Amino acid sequence: MAKIFKMPFKKIDIGVNLTDSMFRGVYRGKIVHKDDLASVVQRARDAGVNKMLVTAGNLEEAEKAFELAGQYDGCYATVGVHPTRCLDFERDPATSASRDPDTYFESLRLLTEKESPRAERLVVAIGECGLDYDRLEFCPKEVQIRYFERQFDLAKQCQLPMFLHNRNTGGDFVKMVRANRHKFTEGVVHSFDGPWEEAKILTEELGLYIGINGCSLKTEENLQVVKQIPVENMMIETDAPWCDIRPTHASYKYVKTAMEQIKTKKKEKFEEGCMVKGRNEPCTLEFVLNVIACVKEMDPGEVAEIVYANTEKVFFPNYHSLCGVPNGFKEH
C-alpha cells in the first residue's frame, strides 16, 4: 500500500464551486456565519493547491467565477451551462421571462474574451456542460441535448477545452461527444463514477481525461474502476463544497487517520481557522490524491507529478512560457 506523506504535493483542483453561497456563510438563503472565502483559498494554498478552476453552471455563475479569478491569483474560471440548468438559455430562472437563446449564447462567448486584470487568460474551459438524466425534473432531456450541442460550438469558437458532466445517460453522452469530438481540443469528464467500460471509451477512443473526486471513490466498485484508469488519463478535483470523502465511503479507510486530524466545527458554531463540518474545501484534494495512490499501489509523489502535468497540458499549455505569473493565491 502506498505511503501517505504529511508534506503536501503541488496540485491543481480542476473543479471548485467557489461561487456557492456556503463559502460566504449563507446556507439556503440564511446567513449562518461570516464570509470566509479568503480563508478557504488560503487553506487550499497551504495544502499545496496552487491552481483552481472555479466552475460555473450558468452565465451568472460564470460572471462570478471570472470576478473571483481576477481577485485571486491561481484561480481560473470556466464558462458554460450545466445540463440541469439549460432552460436558462430560454428563460430567466428568477422571473420565468422568456429569453433569446442566441443572445444568451453570445453573452457566454463574450465572457470568454473579457479582458483579464492579469497578464493571462482567466477563462480556461467551456463548462460545466453535458447531460444529466438523474435530474430530469430540473431540465428535460431534449433541452439538455439541444444546448449541450451548442456548447460544443462554443468550445470550437473559443478554442478552449471542455469541462464535461455525465450522469446516467444510457450512451447519449458518449454518442454526442463522439459526433462533436472534432470541435474541441481537449476535455475532462469530471466527477466520474461510471464503469470501466465507459472510462475506456472516454480515454482510449475519445482521448478525454477522467476527473476523480470523493464521489468517484464511494464504493469498492468505484475503487476498482480507478485502479484500472491509467494515471496518465486522470485529473483530480474536490467539487467543493460537495463530493467529500465520508466515513461511509470505501475510500475512507485509506485516509481515515489524516482526516480525523482535521479540525471542523458545525456551521452554527463557526470558528475562524476551522473548516465547516459537512462543507468540502479544496484543501482536501490531498486525500483524493492519496486514495488514488493507495488503490493503484503507487508513490503519491509520482501520482501527483503525472496528474499535475496532465492538467497543465490541457488547461495551461502556455502558462510557463507566456505568463511568468508566480504560483499561489493572492487577493487583489
Side-chain angles (χ1 to χ4, degrees), residues 234-264:
M234 284 186 184
M235 296 183 189
I236 53 175
E237 57 179 300
T238 58
D239 205 25
W242 320 109
C243 291
D244 50 330
I245 296 174
R246 300 181 180 182
T248 55
H249 294 178
S251 56
Y252 186 73
K253 57 181 175 287
Y254 296 113
V255 290
K256 180 177 184 292
T257 300
M259 291 193 73
E260 287 177 345
Q261 295 175 6
I262 296 177
K263 188 176 181 181
T264 63

Side-chain angles (χ1 to χ4, degrees), residues 99-115:
R99 279 175 169 159
D100 174 21
D102 291 338
T103 301
Y104 195 80
F105 180 90
E106 181 63 8
S107 296
L108 292 169
R109 189 192 67 79
L110 289 173
L111 183 56
T112 70
E113 299 176 352
K114 189 173 181 179
E115 185 176 353

Side-chain angles (χ1 to χ4, degrees), residues 216-228 248-254 291 295:
S216 311
L217 306 168
K218 288 182 177 180
T219 68
E220 290 296 341
E221 290 79 11
N222 292 151
L223 298 183
Q224 287 304 309
V225 172
V226 168
K227 188 174 184 178
Q228 294 180 81
T248 55
H249 294 178
S251 56
Y252 186 73
K253 57 181 175 287
Y254 296 113
V291 170
V295 169

Side-chain angles (χ1 to χ4, degrees), residues 266-332:
K266 291 183 178 180
K267 59 182 183 292
E268 295 84 3
K269 297 182 178 180
F270 175 82
E271 183 178 316
E272 192 69 53
C274 294
M275 290 179 59
V276 174
K277 186 177 179 65
R279 186 190 70 176
N280 196 16
E281 291 189 15
C283 68
T284 67
L285 189 60
E286 188 92 354
F287 300 138
V288 176
L289 170 69
N290 280 306
V291 170
I292 293 170
C294 288
V295 169
K296 298 182 79 65
E297 298 183 350
M298 292 177 64
D299 181 89
E302 181 183 3
V303 175
E305 184 176 343
I306 295 171
V307 169
Y308 194 93
N310 295 342
T311 311
E312 286 263 288
K313 171 179 174 287
V314 172
F315 297 114
F316 309 101
N318 300 316
Y319 186 84
H320 295 293
S321 60
L322 296 181
C323 300
V325 177
N327 289 330
F329 303 101
K330 291 190 298 182
E331 185 173 1
H332 297 296

Side-chain angles (χ1 to χ4, degrees), residues 24 35-42 45 67-75 118 328-332:
R24 302 294 189 175
D35 181 333
D36 66 331
L37 177 61
S39 296
V40 170
V41 172
Q42 185 60 49
R45 181 184 183 185
E67 290 177 7
L68 286 176
Q71 185 178 6
Y72 294 100
D73 288 344
C75 283
R118 303 206 303 261
F329 303 101
K330 291 190 298 182
E331 185 173 1
H332 297 296

